Amino acid sequence: MAKHLFFVFSDAVDGEDAAYHDWYERHIDDILALPGFTAAQRFARHDLEGRPADHGHLVLYELDGEPAEVLAGLRTAVAEGKLERPDPGCVAPGLRSFVYTPIGERQLGRDG
């Protein structure tokens, strides 16, 4: 079955970077305990001149299974109180998420 990628873009509340990072580390552990979430990695934006980004942080989750079913399980866990929502004290409003599915084989460069 093809792996799907779930991108979650977010930002810390101003002045709450440490709390944001602490919360996200716990949150990722909780998410990875859910069926269909097989891996996660956090990223910080690398600013390039003339190329602004909307968000400062990204979590990239790998999904195994039908994305709609995997994300339905996430919503159920939140509704049942088994998974906490983003903490508004440290996670800024405007979080965005998207699922992408590979449409071609992974290719490596000569140094890859």
Side-chain angles (χ1 to χ4, degrees):
M1 182 172 296
K3 293 272 186 182
H4 306 277
L5 300 177
F6 180 43
F7 291 78
V8 180
F9 296 91
S10 64
D11 291 294
V13 169
D14 287 342
E16 296 298 328
D17 288 352
Y20 170 88
H21 293 299
D22 289 344
W23 180 84
Y24 240 116
E25 287 302 318
R26 291 189 315 274
H27 185 65
I28 286 174
D29 288 341
D30 293 342
I31 292 232
L32 290 175
L34 298 173
F37 286 88
T38 60
Q41 186 174 6
R42 295 180 63 216
F43 297 86
R45 178 182 63 226
H46 183 87
D47 291 320
L48 296 174
E49 188 175 328
R51 304 285 310 253
D54 291 339
H55 296 283
H57 299 278
L58 162 68
V59 181
L60 178 57
Y61 295 96
E62 293 181 24
L63 307 180
D64 193 11
E66 182 57 40
E69 293 173 15
V70 174
L71 295 178
L74 183 145
R75 287 189 296 277
T76 298
V78 169
E80 293 176 351
K82 297 176 182 173
L83 182 69
E84 65 179 300
R85 292 184 172 277
D87 181 347
C90 61
V91 180
L95 181 144
R96 300 199 54 200
S97 61
F98 307 92
V99 175
Y100 287 82
T101 301
I103 58 172
E105 293 298 317
R106 185 169 182 253
Q107 300 178 29
L108 299 175
R110 67 172 182 227
D111 295 333

